[in-house]
């Protein structure tokens, strides 16, 4: 199995930027497809972005397209989420997650992910 630890959250003003990181340890990182989820106050957990094992294909939810970028480094065993033009609606706890199954598509549902980090808080002030 893989252990995931997020970092990089914090308080930022609207329009600002943050970069989240997820450090993976345990099994070989490159065998997992990865995703970033978030759960805002009173909201359900949702997928923000996902990336395949090689990094060759990505997915973004509509609300973050053009503002967020997901990328992975299979040498350093890290997953990152670069967030820019942040909005108050982006306020949430952000989680990284690993999908161990081989799929044709990028996993987009919570149930498809097998391992989760503890989360990092992102707060965007208006």
């Amino acid at each position: 199995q893989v252990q995931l630890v997020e970092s990089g959250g914090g308080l930022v003003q609207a329009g600002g930027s943050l970069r989240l990181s997820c450090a993976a340890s345990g099994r070989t990182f490159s065998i997992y497809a990865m995703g970033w989820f978030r759960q805002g106050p009173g909201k359900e957990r949702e997928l923000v972005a996902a990336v395949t094992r090689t990094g060759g294909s990505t997915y973004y939810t509509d609300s973050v397209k053009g503002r967020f970028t997901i990328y992975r480094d299979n040498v350093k065993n890290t997953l990152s989420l670069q967030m820019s033009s942040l909005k108050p609606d982006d306020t949430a706890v952000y989680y990284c997650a690993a999908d161990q199954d081989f799929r044709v598509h990028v996993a987009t549902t919570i149930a498809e992910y097998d391992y989760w980090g503890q989360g990092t808080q992102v707060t965007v002030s208006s």
Side-chain angles (χ1 to χ4, degrees), residues 37-48:
F37 286 77
R38 68 184 179 187
Q39 187 164 15
K43 299 180 181 179
E44 295 185 352
R45 191 172 298 190
E46 64 170 347
L47 179 66
V48 175

Side-chain angles (χ1 to χ4, degrees), residues 49-71:
V51 62
T52 54
R53 286 163 179 77
T54 63
S57 182
T58 56
Y59 165 90
Y60 296 93
T61 195
D62 286 346
S63 63
V64 308
K65 285 180 180 177
R67 301 190 297 122
F68 290 11
T69 303
I70 186 172
Y71 54 98

Side-chain angles (χ1 to χ4, degrees), residues 94-126:
Y94 284 71
Y95 302 88
C96 70
D99 170 21
Q100 67 183 359
D101 292 327
F102 287 90
R103 307 179 194 277
V104 174
H105 62 276
V106 174
T108 59
T109 67
I110 293 172
E112 292 176 296
Y113 287 82
D114 305 287
Y115 302 101
W116 295 81
Q118 292 301 305
T120 186
Q121 176 70 47
V122 172
T123 302
V124 184
S125 63
S126 57

Side-chain angles (χ1 to χ4, degrees), residues 71-87:
Y71 54 98
R72 66 187 297 162
D73 186 329
N74 286 346
V75 174
K76 296 182 179 178
N77 295 342
T78 58
L79 176 74
S80 299
L81 184 68
Q82 179 66 48
M83 306 185 294
S84 60
S85 301
L86 283 162
K87 306 174 181 179

